[in-house]
Amino acid sequence: EVMGRAARREVHARKLLHDFREDEKTTPPTMERGFPREAALLKFLDSKLPGRYGVGSGVVIDRHGGQSKQCDVVIYDDERTPRLSTDRPMAMAIWPFEFVYAVAEVKSKLTRAALGEAVANIAAFKRLKRPVNNLLGGGGVYHYSEPQNAALGILIAHEWGDDLKPADATFE
Protein backbone atom coordinates (compact mmCIF):
# COMPACT_ATOMS: atom_id res chain seq x y z
CA GLU A 1 0.00 0.00 0.00
CA VAL A 2 1.29 3.43 -0.95
CA MET A 3 1.67 5.76 1.99
CA GLY A 4 -0.11 9.10 1.59
CA ARG A 5 1.66 12.44 1.81
CA ALA A 6 0.18 13.30 5.22
CA ALA A 7 1.17 9.91 6.60
CA ARG A 8 4.76 10.35 5.32
CA ARG A 9 4.96 13.79 6.97
CA GLU A 10 3.76 12.27 10.23
CA VAL A 11 6.40 9.51 10.01
CA HIS A 12 9.13 12.10 9.34
CA ALA A 13 7.94 14.31 12.21
CA ARG A 14 7.92 11.36 14.63
CA LYS A 15 11.42 10.30 13.49
CA LEU A 16 12.77 13.82 13.99
CA LEU A 17 11.17 14.09 17.43
CA HIS A 18 12.64 10.69 18.36
CA ASP A 19 16.09 11.84 17.23
CA PHE A 20 15.71 15.07 19.25
CA ARG A 21 14.95 13.08 22.40
CA GLU A 22 17.73 10.54 21.84
CA ASP A 23 20.34 13.24 21.22
CA GLU A 24 19.14 15.12 24.32
CA LYS A 25 19.98 12.06 26.48
CA THR A 26 23.61 12.07 25.37
CA THR A 27 24.27 15.83 25.44
CA PRO A 28 26.75 16.88 28.14
CA PRO A 29 25.22 19.30 30.68
CA THR A 30 27.71 22.01 29.67
CA MET A 31 26.47 22.05 26.08
CA GLU A 32 23.80 24.42 24.80
CA ARG A 33 20.27 22.97 25.03
CA GLY A 34 19.51 23.44 21.33
CA PHE A 35 22.67 21.77 20.04
CA PRO A 36 21.28 18.21 19.94
CA ARG A 37 18.17 19.42 18.12
CA GLU A 38 20.28 21.26 15.55
CA ALA A 39 22.48 18.17 15.10
CA ALA A 40 19.43 15.91 14.71
CA LEU A 41 17.89 18.28 12.16
CA LEU A 42 21.15 18.49 10.17
CA LYS A 43 21.36 14.68 10.10
CA PHE A 44 17.69 14.37 9.15
CA LEU A 45 17.92 16.92 6.31
CA ASP A 46 21.15 15.38 5.04
CA SER A 47 19.40 12.01 4.76
CA LYS A 48 16.27 13.42 3.03
CA LEU A 49 17.52 16.07 0.62
CA PRO A 50 18.72 15.10 -2.85
CA GLY A 51 22.48 14.65 -3.23
CA ARG A 52 23.16 18.04 -4.81
CA TYR A 53 22.12 19.79 -1.58
CA GLY A 54 24.38 20.03 1.43
CA VAL A 55 23.56 21.00 5.00
CA GLY A 56 25.74 22.73 7.54
CA SER A 57 25.73 25.68 9.90
CA GLY A 58 27.62 28.94 10.11
CA VAL A 59 27.58 32.46 8.69
CA VAL A 60 26.43 33.40 5.18
CA ILE A 61 28.25 36.24 3.39
CA ASP A 62 27.58 38.17 0.20
CA ARG A 63 30.06 39.76 -2.20
CA HIS A 64 29.17 43.26 -0.98
CA GLY A 65 30.49 42.68 2.55
CA GLY A 66 27.14 41.77 4.12
CA GLN A 67 26.84 38.83 6.46
CA SER A 68 24.14 36.96 8.31
CA LYS A 69 24.22 36.12 11.97
CA GLN A 70 25.17 32.57 12.99
CA CYS A 71 22.71 30.23 11.22
CA ASP A 72 21.72 26.95 12.89
CA VAL A 73 21.11 25.26 9.52
CA VAL A 74 22.37 26.28 6.08
CA ILE A 75 21.11 24.44 2.98
CA TYR A 76 23.49 25.01 0.09
CA ASP A 77 24.46 23.78 -3.37
CA ASP A 78 26.89 20.98 -2.53
CA GLU A 79 28.16 20.68 -6.11
CA ARG A 80 29.24 24.30 -6.59
CA THR A 81 29.91 25.75 -3.14
CA PRO A 82 33.54 26.61 -2.38
CA ARG A 83 34.58 25.49 1.10
CA LEU A 84 35.43 28.51 3.26
CA SER A 85 36.02 26.74 6.57
CA THR A 86 38.39 24.37 8.24
CA ASP A 87 37.87 20.68 8.88
CA ARG A 88 38.25 21.23 12.63
CA PRO A 89 35.23 20.05 14.62
CA MET A 90 32.97 22.88 15.76
CA ALA A 91 34.77 25.41 13.51
CA MET A 92 32.54 28.11 12.08
CA ALA A 93 31.76 27.67 8.40
CA ILE A 94 31.35 30.60 6.04
CA TRP A 95 28.92 30.13 3.16
CA PRO A 96 28.83 32.36 0.03
CA PHE A 97 25.27 33.64 -0.42
CA GLU A 98 25.29 32.83 -4.14
CA PHE A 99 25.21 29.11 -3.30
CA VAL A 100 22.82 29.12 -0.32
CA TYR A 101 19.19 28.13 -0.82
CA ALA A 102 17.88 28.47 2.73
CA VAL A 103 18.70 28.89 6.39
CA ALA A 104 16.78 27.62 9.39
CA GLU A 105 16.67 28.74 12.98
CA VAL A 106 16.10 25.90 15.44
CA LYS A 107 14.54 26.70 18.81
CA SER A 108 14.03 24.25 21.67
CA LYS A 109 11.22 26.38 23.10
CA LEU A 110 9.63 29.15 21.06
CA THR A 111 9.14 32.05 23.47
CA ARG A 112 8.44 35.64 22.43
CA ALA A 113 12.13 36.46 22.94
CA ALA A 114 13.27 33.41 20.93
CA LEU A 115 10.81 34.30 18.15
CA GLY A 116 12.17 37.85 18.00
CA GLU A 117 15.76 36.55 17.86
CA ALA A 118 14.91 34.01 15.15
CA VAL A 119 13.10 36.61 13.02
CA ALA A 120 16.07 39.01 13.39
CA ASN A 121 18.53 36.27 12.37
CA ILE A 122 16.46 35.27 9.34
CA ALA A 123 15.99 38.95 8.39
CA ALA A 124 19.79 39.47 8.48
CA PHE A 125 20.13 36.55 6.05
CA LYS A 126 17.37 37.85 3.76
CA ARG A 127 18.98 41.34 3.61
CA LEU A 128 22.02 39.89 1.85
CA LYS A 129 22.26 40.77 -1.83
CA ARG A 130 22.28 38.14 -4.54
CA PRO A 131 24.20 38.92 -7.71
CA VAL A 132 22.28 39.26 -10.92
CA ASN A 133 22.58 36.12 -13.00
CA ASN A 134 24.14 37.55 -16.14
CA LEU A 135 25.30 34.30 -17.69
CA LEU A 136 22.03 33.38 -19.38
CA GLY A 137 21.76 33.31 -23.14
CA GLY A 138 23.52 31.52 -25.91
CA GLY A 139 25.66 32.05 -28.95
CA GLY A 140 27.66 34.81 -27.30
CA VAL A 141 24.53 36.81 -26.43
CA TYR A 142 24.16 37.36 -22.71
CA HIS A 143 21.45 39.25 -20.93
CA TYR A 144 20.58 40.12 -17.38
CA SER A 145 17.83 38.25 -15.66
CA GLU A 146 16.22 38.25 -12.27
CA PRO A 147 18.47 37.54 -9.29
CA GLN A 148 19.13 33.90 -8.51
CA ASN A 149 16.77 31.88 -6.31
CA ALA A 150 15.15 33.87 -3.51
CA ALA A 151 16.50 33.46 0.00
CA LEU A 152 14.33 31.19 2.14
CA GLY A 153 14.23 31.51 5.93
CA ILE A 154 12.72 28.74 8.07
CA LEU A 155 11.90 28.60 11.78
CA ILE A 156 11.65 25.20 13.46
CA ALA A 157 10.64 24.92 17.10
CA HIS A 158 10.38 21.87 19.34
CA GLU A 159 7.68 23.28 21.61
CA TRP A 160 5.73 26.47 22.33
CA GLY A 161 6.88 28.68 25.17
CA ASP A 162 4.52 29.62 27.98
CA ASP A 163 4.35 33.23 26.78
CA LEU A 164 3.50 32.40 23.17
CA LYS A 165 0.57 30.59 21.62
CA PRO A 166 0.36 29.34 18.00
CA ALA A 167 -2.06 32.12 17.00
CA ASP A 168 0.45 34.75 18.26
CA ALA A 169 3.10 33.60 15.78
CA THR A 170 1.22 34.46 12.59
CA PHE A 171 2.57 37.22 10.41
CA GLU A 172 0.98 39.27 7.65
Side-chain angles (χ1 to χ4, degrees):
E1 180 179 321
V2 177
M3 187 183 303
R5 185 177 291 197
R8 279 195 308 274
R9 277 195 302 258
E10 180 68 22
V11 167
H12 291 315
R14 288 183 188 278
K15 168 78 170 108
L16 191 54
L17 185 58
H18 174 266
D19 289 350
F20 281 171
R21 290 182 177 143
E22 288 302 308
D23 284 347
E24 237 175 15
K25 292 176 187 175
T26 60
T27 303
T30 57
M31 202 172 269
E32 185 181 321
R33 180 179 182 204
F35 181 78
R37 291 193 172 94
E38 292 168 24
L41 182 60
L42 287 169
K43 188 168 69 174
F44 175 79
L45 289 172
D46 192 49
S47 72
K48 299 299 177 198
L49 289 173
R52 73 167 293 180
Y53 299 98
V55 293
S57 60
V59 174
V60 180
I61 60 170
D62 68 19
R63 63 176 58 180
H64 306 287
Q67 77 175 49
S68 71
K69 298 182 184 298
Q70 171 68 26
C71 300
D72 297 333
V73 176
V74 176
I75 301 173
Y76 60 93
D77 186 327
D78 195 37
E79 295 174 352
R80 299 183 316 140
T81 304
R83 301 296 188 248
L84 302 175
S85 63
T86 67
D87 291 331
R88 292 188 341 246
M90 303 304 286
M92 180 175 11
I94 300 172
W95 306 99
F97 189 49
E98 293 85 353
F99 305 104
V100 174
Y101 295 109
V103 298
E105 285 293 305
V106 181
K107 299 297 176 190
S108 294
K109 186 176 271 195
L110 189 62
T111 62
R112 284 189 187 277
L115 176 62
E117 177 186 333
V119 168
N121 289 353
I122 290 170
F125 167 72
K126 291 180 78 74
R127 278 193 296 273
L128 297 176
K129 293 179 177 46
R130 288 220 190 274
V132 173
N133 181 359
N134 61 0
L135 300 176
L136 295 179
V141 177
Y142 297 97
H143 57 86
Y144 288 99
S145 68
E146 294 297 314
Q148 294 173 321
N149 50 298
L152 177 63
I154 304 165
L155 172 59
I156 299 171
H158 181 252
E159 61 185 82
W160 291 101
D162 297 332
D163 64 343
L164 192 64
K165 299 291 181 238
D168 297 336
T170 58
F171 297 97
E172 294 182 18

